[in-house]
Amino acid sequence: MLLTIQKFNLAVLLVVLSVLYAIFIDYYYEQRDKMASVVLESLKDDMSELSYILSKTIENKEQLGSTRAVLDRSVSNNDFIAAIMVLDDNNVLLTTDPHYHKAPSKIDLYKEERSSPYNKLIGQKGVEGVIRFYKGPQLQTLNLLFLLDQEELATYFSENKTKSIFYFGLSPVLILLITGLILHYFLGKPLEKLRQFAYYQSEIPKAFRLKELEAIRASMVQTFQRLDSEKNELYQMARTDSLSGLANRNALEEYTHRLIADASRSQKEFAFLFLDLDYFKSVNDAFGHNIGDELLQSIASVIREELRSNDFVARVGGDEFVIVLHQYNSLAELIGIIERVQQCLTRTWVVQSHPINITSSVGIAIYPKDGTDNVSLMQHSDIAMYEAKKAGRAQYHFFTKALNIKVQKTIALDKAMRDALKHNEYELYYQPKTDVQTGAIVGVEALIRWISPTEGIIPPLTFIPLAEENGFIIELGEWVLSEAIRQQKRWSEEGLDIKVSINVATKQLLSAHFEKNFVTLLDENDVERSKIDVEITEYLFLEQNKNNLQVLKMIHDQGVTISLDDFGTGYSSLSYLKKFPIDNLKIDKVFVDDYNTPEGAVFLETIVKMGQTLDMDIVAEGVETEEQLAYLKEIGCNIYQGYLCSKPLPAEELAQFFIRMRDQQKDRG
């Protein structure tokens, strides 16, 4: 059981009071016995003196009457003597008071020796002495008796008791009262203040007079101040992004929660903006994360400066920012703020002497029509931001219900295509690659098809872009690579000399385990390396990754050829054709379709001549007419691919088609 300071002080005072009163009582009884001893000694002295006088005065009993005056004087001189008797055995010979004419019994005159002086004095009626005198030569004795005045004795001791109680009984109370006040002032009150300060940490107590308590108070004040400082610091850290100094997700949630409550009461809307930097990953890959971090700090500072004082901005991811705008009068004003922020980010940033250009994509959700809580506003603005990126980046896009439906379909498609891989719903089709001059099949391109048991064949354009966006392309690409290499091995064992081209996405090519997995597949299937061709796109060079050259060299060192797909549609550059080990250039269908225009013809002829100069084979995609084929022969293109020869076929049908075409070639030869 715990005691309060007041109860503890009270208990201490009660113990001290009890001890003091015990000492007082013991002292009182001791003093009373001493007083009784003094009275008894005084009576004995008077008895001795009177006995001596009477012994010298009388010579026989008949002379006792002449001593009455001496006896009366002795009675009057001692307040504790009521009367004096002279006895001859039990016969009263003389008394100073006629009221006392009978001698008391011996029992009333003597007490036990063990009795205290007080009990002896109060408990007996008189004090007895002896008168000795000589009658002639014979010694005579008489008894001298002092009868005690019990009322006077009682009054005497009562007065002394009253004085003792007054002086010694009240003194402890006064001492304890003063001590209690001192303890309360110097100890109890300060301790109570310390207790309240420890519990509530409200008002800081003033300095105490006691050194030890002051040391405790100062230590507590210092400790609580440090704890408050650390608490405030932790509070700020929990709500502040350490890199940019902007608010973080926690602060955003708190701010949005308060803003939604206010907007709900006032029936007002506000805009929730999700801003993402375009191609920021390329900055980190090209210059390093330290440059990227410094760029983020500068961008965060500029965004904060461009916004109004009542707007809110938070960094919620690597290069992702959320801006909350309210108190705008019109949609035009809102768009003006967004465009101003985007425009200020398009400047050339110089970070450690590196010039960097960057843009941003912004998705916008409006409260309450696009969401009524932080989660829905975040999701919908994020969806809108991705639509802005799909539209070409450096744009802004508003969230709509139609857009949301599209996203839900995308989520469903994501799950379905992952399940399809588990349920073996994918199949590889193969489209022949044909020599332009001879018409012989010189290889095939492996093309994935999703054959759903409920939807039928789902075109690659439906799910491949999503797979590249969400990273599933790595897992799916590994399946394609494995299946295509195994198929080439099966054809080889069947005596079919077919070179297989396999599309490898940039994310798959640059993934951590691609090199190891690729070499393992080649070794496990023991395929002829020259019969495998890897097709890449120009997006690989956009990544600006220092590992991409290393990966391509590894592929080429294995004896596998490399084709650059869709040449001319992306970020074509002669520099990377010279730098990277490219064996084949594939011309996209859009250029083949444009062969009969002056611009298109010049473009095709330029590519073919460039390929010949660089000792590369040129593959024209999407050839569907004899006119296109004739033109390709004319300009010296090596290989074509398209429906003019064959549409993509399942592996078994492709094998049959290959044999048929081979046999036709032999017959013509």
Side-chain angles (χ1 to χ4, degrees), residues 151-185:
E151 291 184 4
E152 188 65 30
L153 287 170
T155 301
Y156 174 72
F157 283 106
S158 177
E159 289 177 355
N160 282 280
K161 181 179 180 180
T162 302
K163 290 179 181 179
S164 297
I165 292 175
F166 180 77
Y167 290 113
F168 299 103
L170 294 180
S171 295
V173 176
L174 292 175
I175 292 172
L176 288 179
L177 181 60
I178 295 172
T179 304
L181 292 174
I182 294 173
L183 287 174
H184 177 71
Y185 182 78

Side-chain angles (χ1 to χ4, degrees), residues 2-6 190-205 220-221 224 227-228 231:
L2 299 177
L3 294 175
T4 62
I5 295 172
Q6 290 83 354
L191 287 175
E192 177 61 22
K193 288 183 178 179
L194 288 177
R195 185 189 68 82
Q196 292 181 358
F197 181 53
Y199 272 102
Y200 307 112
Q201 301 177 29
S202 53
E203 182 181 356
I204 299 176
M220 289 179 65
V221 170
F224 286 134
L227 289 175
D228 286 340
K231 181 177 69 175

Side-chain angles (χ1 to χ4, degrees), residues 46 49-77 83-87 92-97 131-133 142-146:
D46 290 346
E49 182 180 357
L50 186 57
S51 296
Y52 176 75
I53 293 171
L54 292 178
S55 296
K56 295 298 182 180
T57 304
I58 62 174
E59 294 180 355
N60 51 56
K61 298 177 181 179
E62 288 75 12
Q63 292 178 335
L64 285 173
S66 62
T67 63
R68 183 178 183 87
V70 176
L71 296 179
D72 288 337
R73 186 169 60 251
S74 296
V75 171
S76 63
N77 289 335
I84 298 176
M85 288 183 177
V86 178
L87 303 176
V92 179
L93 300 180
L94 179 65
T95 180
T96 59
D97 189 343
I131 303 173
R132 294 180 177 86
F133 63 93
L142 296 175
N143 294 328
L144 180 63
L145 180 63
F146 288 174

Side-chain angles (χ1 to χ4, degrees), residues 153-427:
L153 287 170
T155 301
Y156 174 72
F157 283 106
S158 177
E159 289 177 355
N160 282 280
K161 181 179 180 180
T162 302
K163 290 179 181 179
S164 297
I165 292 175
F166 180 77
Y167 290 113
F168 299 103
L170 294 180
S171 295
V173 176
L174 292 175
I175 292 172
L176 288 179
L177 181 60
I178 295 172
T179 304
L181 292 174
I182 294 173
L183 287 174
H184 177 71
Y185 182 78
F186 287 100
L187 187 62
K189 192 175 181 180
L191 287 175
E192 177 61 22
K193 288 183 178 179
L194 288 177
R195 185 189 68 82
Q196 292 181 358
F197 181 53
Y199 272 102
Y200 307 112
Q201 301 177 29
S202 53
E203 182 181 356
I204 299 176
K206 294 181 180 179
F208 298 143
R209 296 181 180 275
L210 294 180
K211 183 177 180 180
E212 289 78 4
L213 289 180
E214 173 56 21
I216 295 173
R217 185 200 70 87
S219 177
M220 289 179 65
V221 170
Q222 184 179 9
T223 300
F224 286 134
Q225 287 176 344
R226 187 180 70 252
L227 289 175
D228 286 340
S229 176
E230 291 175 354
K231 181 177 69 175
N232 293 333
E233 184 177 350
L234 289 173
Y235 181 87
Q236 292 301 323
M237 287 175 60
R239 288 155 181 80
T240 304
D241 176 56
S242 59
L243 177 65
S244 65
L246 299 177
N248 61 8
R249 282 182 179 270
N250 293 332
L252 173 64
E253 290 180 4
E254 292 179 358
Y255 178 82
T256 308
H257 181 75
R258 293 193 302 268
L259 188 58
I260 287 174
D262 293 339
S264 176
R265 287 191 297 269
S266 59
Q267 298 296 309
K268 291 184 178 180
E269 69 175 36
F270 63 84
F272 194 98
L273 280 56
F274 198 104
L275 184 150
D276 185 86
L277 301 179
D278 299 326
Y279 301 119
F280 181 76
K281 183 177 182 297
S282 299
V283 176
N284 279 335
D285 292 341
F287 303 109
H289 286 276
N290 59 325
I291 301 294
D293 289 347
E294 192 170 335
L295 176 61
L296 283 174
Q297 291 172 342
S298 300
I299 288 174
S301 177
V302 168
I303 292 176
R304 186 161 42 195
E305 290 174 1
E306 288 295 327
L307 294 177
R308 304 167 301 179
S309 59
N310 59 346
D311 296 327
F312 182 87
V313 58
R315 178 173 175 253
V316 295
D319 60 336
E320 298 171 340
F321 299 85
V322 167
I323 301 172
V324 181
L325 303 177
H326 62 106
Q327 296 181 3
Y328 51 86
N329 297 320
S330 65
L331 190 60
E333 182 182 353
L334 173 62
I335 293 174
I337 298 172
I338 297 171
E339 290 179 342
R340 187 174 72 246
V341 171
Q342 286 188 295
Q343 181 62 35
C344 78
L345 298 182
T346 58
R347 69 178 70 176
T348 298
W349 304 87
V350 179
V351 182
Q352 296 185 17
S353 75
H354 299 288
I356 301 173
N357 291 298
I358 202 139
T359 58
S360 61
S361 299
V362 178
I364 307 142
I366 304 297
Y367 171 89
K369 67 178 182 179
D370 294 333
T372 56
D373 55 51
N374 183 71
V375 175
S376 60
L377 289 170
M378 179 77 80
Q379 290 176 341
H380 295 165
S381 61
D382 186 37
I383 291 170
M385 183 272 295
Y386 275 104
E387 286 301 310
K389 284 187 177 293
K390 290 178 182 178
R393 292 180 168 81
Q395 301 184 38
Y396 58 85
H397 197 285
F398 283 84
F399 176 81
T400 63
K401 288 186 178 180
L403 184 60
N404 187 48
I405 293 173
K406 179 181 177 182
V407 170
Q408 295 303 320
K409 288 182 178 179
T410 300
I411 294 173
L413 177 62
D414 178 271
K415 182 178 184 303
M417 70 181 181
R418 294 177 188 273
D419 291 340
L421 184 60
K422 298 176 183 177
H423 300 149
N424 298 317
E425 295 177 11
Y426 294 108
E427 184 178 344

Side-chain angles (χ1 to χ4, degrees), residues 10-22:
L10 181 60
V12 171
L13 293 176
L14 288 175
V15 170
V16 173
L17 183 63
S18 300
V19 172
L20 288 175
Y21 270 118

